[in-house]
Amino acid sequence: MAYGRLVVVRRIHVIGIGAGDPEQLTLQAVRALRSTDVFFVLDKGEVKSDLTRLRRDMLDTHLPEGGYRVVEARDPERDRRAGGAAYSPAVGDWRSARAGIYERLIAEELGEDESGAFLVWGDPALYDSTLGILEEVLAAGTVAFTYDVVPGVSSVSALVARHRTGLNRVARPVQITTGRRLAEGFPEGVDDVVVMLDAHQTFRQYAEDDIDIYWGAYIGTPDEILVAGPIAEAGPRIERLRAEARERKGWIMDTYLLRRNPGER
Ligand SMILES: C[S@@+](CC[C@H](N)C(=O)[O-])C[C@H]1O[C@@H](n2cnc3c(N)ncnc32)[C@H](O)[C@@H]1O
């Protein structure tokens, strides 16, 4: 009698680990951590090594000592000088370079019957390329695996929770965008706008308007800074605190909600 060959494929968890506070790790995330053999940690360089250490601390808290394997790899640098039309190709090249690294990590570091995990900052669904890259690796067809996604507390949820406010006003929409987009103009048809990935404090463009800002840096970590108020008043304070913190730590991660008051429409 002929038996079918048992097909074993590698399994990957993409785990959202929250935006900085280890207590934001969900029970589902902890369960996924505990069923993982190999953790892939992509380091963006020395300035971000704080974030790598935070991930390691999370593993030490929830897993038996020495009971897991971590494989670190260097994230390729993105060409951040490319602006305007060159922006997308630069992101495309960077994604492909990362896809090559992920493919190698999965093929070489993960046994066929093992589970691997990518620990993703915040929620994997928000301004994160891990899912897109894994799809790219699967499409290339050189290594077979299945993957699942564990949602995490995003920096957006953490920001509004710390400011004790909501994202939207009653029955109104909210938009999440980037500093780069905000620089092109305040989005149409929406008064509540969350801005991420803004290296240039683009909110300053709107200092003359009747808009409140709810700003947070390093949210959920011991370095957390929160400021809220009309942009005209809070803006200069944010600029000063941001510059000081950036100087002190060498890097900064900040997010803000802009809330336009009805008279401005
Ligand atoms: C590449 S995105 C990743 C977002 C992440 N997936 C999430 O759900 O929050 C990086 C941006 O997230 C925001 N961010 C992430 N963690 C943060 C934190 N602890 N405090 C403030 N902003 C944060 C910043 O706007 C930063 O530029």
Side-chain angles (χ1 to χ4, degrees):
M1 194 158 99
Y3 290 96
R5 191 173 157 264
L6 185 66
V7 179
V8 191
V9 283
R10 298 165 170 91
R11 281 160 294 131
I12 305 278
H13 300 302
V14 179
I15 308 175
I17 57 168
D21 183 344
E23 294 199 350
Q24 285 170 3
L25 216 57
T26 65
L27 297 178
Q28 194 183 3
V30 172
R31 185 193 291 269
L33 293 180
R34 291 189 176 151
S35 71
T36 297
D37 302 298
V38 184
F39 293 93
F40 300 119
V41 176
L42 284 113
D43 188 2
K44 286 200 171 64
E46 277 155 18
V47 288
K48 295 276 174 81
S49 66
D50 287 5
L51 305 187
T52 303
R53 190 162 355 104
L54 208 129
R55 287 189 178 100
R56 285 217 177 236
D57 288 348
M58 283 183 186
L59 297 180
D60 288 338
T61 305
H62 295 286
L63 301 173
E65 208 180 322
Y68 60 90
R69 195 148 61 88
V70 174
V71 176
E72 287 187 17
R74 188 66 189 263
D75 227 350
E77 286 295 330
R78 195 166 100 200
D79 184 0
R80 290 180 188 279
R81 290 159 310 165
Y87 181 64
S88 295
V91 172
D93 291 350
W94 173 68
R95 269 199 179 202
S96 299
R98 292 183 90 190
I101 293 172
Y102 282 41
E103 186 178 84
R104 186 182 55 72
L105 288 174
I106 296 167
E108 294 176 9
E109 302 287 351
L110 201 59
E112 285 198 357
D113 57 348
E114 284 188 317
S115 297
F118 290 94
L119 305 183
V120 175
W121 204 249
D123 183 12
L126 196 59
Y127 290 110
D128 184 86
S129 43
T130 308
L131 302 180
I133 292 168
L134 289 179
E135 282 298 326
E136 212 174 300
V137 176
L138 278 176
T142 47
V143 55
F145 60 91
T146 60
Y147 71 94
D148 58 24
V149 182
V150 178
V153 175
S154 72
S155 55
V156 175
S157 299
L159 170 79
V160 286
R162 294 295 290 133
H163 281 289
R164 298 187 301 174
T165 187
L167 276 173
N168 64 290
R169 279 170 284 178
V170 180
R172 297 281 303 156
V174 56
Q175 187 169 122
I176 302 176
T177 189
T178 63
R180 190 181 283 265
R181 291 281 180 164
L182 185 71
E184 293 165 6
F186 202 93
E188 298 274 327
V190 61
D191 293 318
D192 293 271
V193 177
V194 177
V195 184
M196 305 176 76
L197 295 159
D198 183 4
H200 303 291
Q201 303 166 81
T202 310
F203 58 81
R204 292 183 292 190
Q205 249 174 256
Y206 302 95
E208 309 274 293
D209 301 338
D210 185 9
I211 296 176
D212 290 332
I213 183 168
Y214 299 83
W215 177 82
Y218 316 104
I219 302 161
T221 75
D223 296 300
E224 179 179 274
I225 316 170
L226 301 169
V227 176
I231 300 182
E233 287 164 29
R237 190 154 170 249
I238 294 171
E239 282 185 59
R240 184 172 46 77
L241 290 169
R242 196 179 185 281
E244 282 168 11
R246 204 167 184 283
E247 175 73 23
R248 188 175 66 248
K249 288 187 66 67
W251 60 275
I252 189 157
M253 271 201 312
D254 58 341
T255 306
Y256 53 89
L257 166 68
L258 296 181
R259 173 155 291 162
R260 181 158 62 171
N261 292 308
E264 279 292 321
R265 254 183 274 139

